[in-house]
Amino acid sequence: QVQLVESGGGSVQAGGSLRLSCAASGYTDNMLCMGWFRQTPGQERERVASIHSDGSARITDSVKDRFTISRDNAKNTLYLEMNSLKPEDTAMYYCAAVPSTPRYCVNANNHEQYPFWGQGTQVTVSS
């Protein structure tokens, strides 16, 4: 089992920045894919970015010029640096994880591919 706890959400004006963190526990192998998803009411969770323990990563095109995903394997912590935030970035952001290969990780863009989830952290961007 993998336990995930997000932090760092909040309210910010358009153009601002936030950094989300996700602390993972319960998994000691180095083959863990971790990702960020976001969801708005009535919509499916969409992948924002994912990154494997080996550094292989994928960021969705709509945010790749503004968001950066990273992880500190020594601290078992995942990050999402969000810059130039827009009102359309407003959503609940979730951390997710799945034991996988690097190739699987960069291609795992469906929420159903991730068995482990955090509780979510709200990001609200006002215009």
Side-chain angles (χ1 to χ4, degrees):
Q1 287 287 342
V2 180
Q3 291 80 45
L4 304 170
V5 179
E6 303 102 331
S7 61
S11 297
V12 65
Q13 288 192 326
S17 299
L18 285 172
R19 187 173 85 153
L20 306 183
S21 300
C22 173
S25 60
Y27 192 83
T28 59
D29 197 280
N30 63 353
M31 294 292 285
L32 187 68
C33 174
M34 298 183 73
W36 289 102
F37 282 73
R38 65 185 181 184
Q39 186 174 27
T40 55
Q43 301 297 316
E44 280 205 358
R45 291 184 188 185
E46 65 165 351
R47 184 180 67 166
V48 176
S50 58
I51 185 168
H52 193 267
S53 303
D54 78 342
S56 301
R58 180 73 55 84
I59 302 177
T60 193
D61 287 345
S62 62
V63 304
K64 66 179 180 180
D65 293 333
R66 301 182 293 118
F67 292 9
T68 302
I69 189 170
S70 62
R71 64 190 286 171
D72 184 331
N73 290 329
K75 297 181 178 180
N76 295 321
T77 302
L78 175 73
Y79 303 100
L80 184 68
E81 187 75 36
M82 305 185 293
N83 298 312
S84 301
L85 282 161
K86 304 176 180 180
E88 51 262 44
D89 295 317
T90 295
M92 185 71 79
Y93 284 71
Y94 295 92
C95 176
V98 55
S100 81
T101 63
R103 182 174 182 178
Y104 183 93
C105 184
V106 298
N107 292 307
N109 60 358
N110 190 303
H111 63 90
E112 295 180 349
Q113 295 175 279
Y114 295 77
F116 304 110
W117 292 87
Q119 80 286 355
T121 186
Q122 178 68 37
V123 171
T124 302
V125 185
S126 58
S127 58

